[in-house]
Amino acid sequence: MSENQNLLAEQRRALILDEVRRRGGVRVNELTRRLGVSDMTVRRDLDALARQGAVEKVHGGAVPVAEASTHEPGFEAKSGLELTAKEDIARAAAELVAPGSAIALSGGTTTYALAHRLVDVPDLTVVTNSVRVADVFHAAQRTTGPRQGAATVVLTGGVRTPSDSLVGPVADQAIAALHFDVLFLGVHGISVEAGLSTPNLAEAETNRRLVQSARRVVVVADHTKWGTVGLSSFAALEQVDTLVTDAGLAAQARAEISEHLRRLVVAGEDEEDGADV
């Protein structure tokens, strides 16, 4: 971590979180030296990360939160994490969307960021099981009023999860009857062994249906999702056409991913070798 007194709070907290995950814990006095800020600033940052459920505060510092494979953070808790990475990913993923196409957006904070990038893409048909994603498009239409080329949004029914996704038999049946060009899929975890996974069993089945109904599958996930494994796997890496991630993804992870995926897009960098989808 480089020392910079002008770092924004979001940037400092992202650096702190990366350090906690990489080293298994940090001390306040180490962070003050590395970030070039006061003890009080670091303690406020740790308090904020602890409130989000990202770290656990201990005497003199912080350690990673020990999460069970069934733990599912709420939308608000996740929305405050890796904000810059999510915006970078959303910007890169939006470039993969063609006007007039039928796309699907799963639930999640990264797909929510992507939705904001797509409101001005003309003639989209958007299928989503995310209440938050649907609200983005509806809010845009309320603001601008009826306009030619506005997206047609299909919101599935279902039971609402802590991450504000709609899952269960109603959602599954609705999705199974549809076909879309591209699915943009947010994930709880991704790894070579477990593939794509989630802590919610019902959400796993709904995501499985989304994958089956898509001609192409694009996973949008920041680097912290790599190596995380939820309770239930719903797709193998080989079922993914493209992974859009951020520059924080380690070189070893990139090499492993490239062995299994057709295309890896690192937001803000040149694309890794791989065939276009």
Side-chain angles (χ1 to χ4, degrees):
M1 294 189 293
S2 61
E3 295 184 1
N4 188 342
Q5 295 185 9
N6 297 320
L7 283 174
L8 298 175
E10 174 200 329
Q11 295 171 311
R12 284 198 314 271
R13 291 166 191 173
L15 289 169
I16 291 170
L17 187 56
D18 279 347
E19 192 77 351
V20 169
R21 288 168 171 162
R22 184 175 64 84
R23 296 175 52 199
V26 293
R27 300 189 64 80
V28 171
N29 57 4
E30 295 174 341
L31 293 173
T32 59
R33 289 195 303 270
R34 296 189 182 197
L35 292 171
V37 295
S38 67
D39 280 15
M40 185 175 296
T41 297
V42 169
R43 293 184 189 279
R44 282 199 298 265
D45 288 339
L46 293 179
D47 285 340
L49 290 170
R51 285 195 300 270
Q52 294 169 355
V55 303
E56 180 180 348
K57 289 185 66 182
V58 296
H59 181 69
V63 296
V65 174
E67 292 185 351
S69 62
T70 55
H71 176 67
E72 182 178 9
F75 186 93
E76 297 300 338
K78 293 188 291 186
S79 63
L81 302 176
E82 304 296 337
L83 292 176
T84 301
K86 289 172 183 175
E87 287 300 323
D88 290 343
I89 291 167
R91 190 179 303 108
E95 296 178 1
L96 306 178
V97 179
S101 57
I103 66 171
L105 297 175
S106 75
T109 53
T110 308
T111 50
Y112 176 73
L114 174 58
H116 284 86
R117 296 273 174 182
L118 300 180
V119 292
D120 292 324
V121 178
D123 300 317
L124 288 182
T125 299
V126 180
V127 178
T128 185
N129 68 321
S130 168
V131 176
R132 300 276 187 155
V133 166
D135 281 347
V136 170
F137 290 97
H138 290 315
Q141 292 179 19
R142 287 195 299 268
T143 300
T144 62
R147 61 181 176 84
Q148 186 175 3
T152 299
V153 180
V154 179
L155 177 64
T156 70
V159 178
R160 199 165 181 165
T161 71
S163 59
D164 286 344
S165 300
L166 299 176
V167 301
V170 174
D172 298 345
Q173 186 173 0
I175 293 165
L178 300 172
H179 305 280
F180 23 85
D181 300 312
V182 188
L183 163 64
F184 291 92
L185 183 64
V187 296
H188 172 82
I190 178 171
S191 70
V192 171
E193 296 78 16
L196 312 182
S197 61
T198 173
N200 188 304
L201 290 172
E203 187 168 38
E205 181 57 33
T206 299
N207 284 345
R208 195 172 290 118
R209 296 295 181 96
L210 284 167
V211 171
Q212 292 170 352
S213 293
R215 187 169 66 87
R216 292 186 294 164
V217 177
V218 178
V219 171
V220 287
D222 69 72
H223 69 281
T224 65
K225 304 298 180 65
W226 180 253
T228 297
V229 177
L231 176 66
S232 179
S233 296
F234 57 86
L237 287 186
E238 287 76 11
Q239 293 176 267
V240 177
D241 297 286
T242 304
L243 169 63
V244 184
T245 188
D246 65 286
L249 188 68
Q252 181 179 352
R254 299 186 192 198
E256 290 181 297
I257 290 169
S258 296
E259 293 178 1
H260 296 270
L261 267 64
R262 297 179 181 89
R263 187 180 184 188
L264 174 63
V265 177
V266 180
E269 296 183 3
D270 293 334
E271 287 190 27
E272 302 291 323
D273 292 336
D276 287 346
V277 295

